Amino acid sequence: PGWRVAGSALWETVTSALGARRVARRGRVMPDGMRTPSVTLLLGGARGQRDQVGRSCRYTFDVTKCMFSPGNITEKLRVASLPCSGEVLVDLYAGIGYFTLPFLVHAGAAFVHACEWNSHAVEALHRSLVLNGVRDCCHIHTGDSRQLQLRDVADRVNLGLIPSLEEGWPVACRILKDTGGVLHIHHNMETPPVLAPPQTTVLLAERGSPEAASSGGEAQHPTEDGGEEMLGAR
């Protein structure tokens, strides 16, 4: 509640301390098919334009209209290291260019067909392609990728959408060259819980305990059957 009393003075102090120009409050991404962000600018104007630098790729987008996913950085670095020189690639769910740019800038892809139905993401992708100097190497297909008319053109098809993109598999297979190619399939997988190991009987009781000691002072051995069960359990 104290923040409301402070008003804009609080956000001005924050921006000054961090050397920033704008402050925004981020909420959950909307489950609307466009992955629309829930972002409210608290200070710094009506537009939330942001430049994001990642491994020499520059992404520029409006944070109030397009989400940025830092969680896929491992996969972005992996595809950036792939040998794609001379290859034609289709990115079925391009967004703002998460994978389109690494494939072009680092992996050496000759050409990318980028498919995206969010008009705000398409605008951001266009600007980012120009910013990275690869605009002539990419054609943006605006609309539903399931309706894409490409066929027999791609060496690789990237399906970078979660939790599931099974609807895109038939399209991706049709797009691949007749000679074959590579599908990069992203999918959320459930890991079954790890079962606890079966409990086993202690072979040798602690020395000196009345249950284990015999008249000769040796620890009593379990029966042969019991020993086999324990060996199997181990």
Side-chain angles (χ1 to χ4, degrees), residues 172-197:
C173 290
R174 186 182 72 239
I175 292 171
L176 279 181
K177 290 181 178 178
D178 288 343
T179 52
V182 179
L183 299 182
H184 296 266
I185 297 176
H186 295 191
H187 194 98
N188 278 1
M189 304 294 292
E190 291 187 8
T191 303
V194 179
L195 298 177

Side-chain angles (χ1 to χ4, degrees), residues 50-61 68 73 76-77 79-81 96-108 125 127-134:
R50 174 187 177 187
D51 289 345
Q52 177 79 21
V53 180
R55 179 114 180 186
S56 301
C57 288
R58 298 192 59 150
Y59 302 87
T60 178
F61 59 101
F68 184 82
I73 181 62
K76 282 190 285 191
L77 293 175
V79 302
S81 67
I96 63 172
Y98 299 118
F99 301 107
T100 296
L101 292 175
F103 271 118
L104 283 172
V105 176
H106 296 292
L125 174 58
R127 292 198 306 267
S128 294
L129 289 167
V130 173
L131 192 63
N132 288 274
V134 290

Side-chain angles (χ1 to χ4, degrees), residues 120-139:
H120 301 300
V122 168
E123 180 186 353
L125 174 58
H126 175 81
R127 292 198 306 267
S128 294
L129 289 167
V130 173
L131 192 63
N132 288 274
V134 290
R135 183 65 188 89
D136 293 339
C137 302
C138 181
H139 179 77

Side-chain angles (χ1 to χ4, degrees), residues 7 123 132-133 153 209 229:
E123 180 186 353
N132 288 274
V153 298
S209 64
E229 289 175 2

Side-chain angles (χ1 to χ4, degrees), residues 23-61:
V23 177
R25 180 175 58 238
R26 183 174 62 187
R28 292 184 177 273
V29 174
M30 311 266 305
D32 58 359
M34 299 282 184
R35 306 197 75 181
T36 305
S38 177
V39 174
T40 304
L41 280 171
L42 302 172
L43 185 74
R47 285 178 60 84
Q49 196 63 33
R50 174 187 177 187
D51 289 345
Q52 177 79 21
V53 180
R55 179 114 180 186
S56 301
C57 288
R58 298 192 59 150
Y59 302 87
T60 178
F61 59 101

Side-chain angles (χ1 to χ4, degrees), residues 89-95 99-100 103 112-117 141 143-150 154 156-161 165-176 183-185:
L89 184 131
V90 176
D91 192 351
L92 279 183
Y93 310 95
F99 301 107
T100 296
F103 271 118
V112 172
H113 293 273
C115 311
E116 178 56 44
W117 65 1
H141 300 263
D144 191 337
S145 61
R146 290 170 295 187
Q147 308 302 320
L148 192 64
Q149 297 303 307
L150 294 177
R156 296 175 189 265
V157 180
N158 191 68
L159 300 102
L161 181 69
L165 39 76
E166 291 186 30
E167 290 184 352
W169 293 356
V171 180
C173 290
R174 186 182 72 239
I175 292 171
L176 279 181
L183 299 182
H184 296 266
I185 297 176

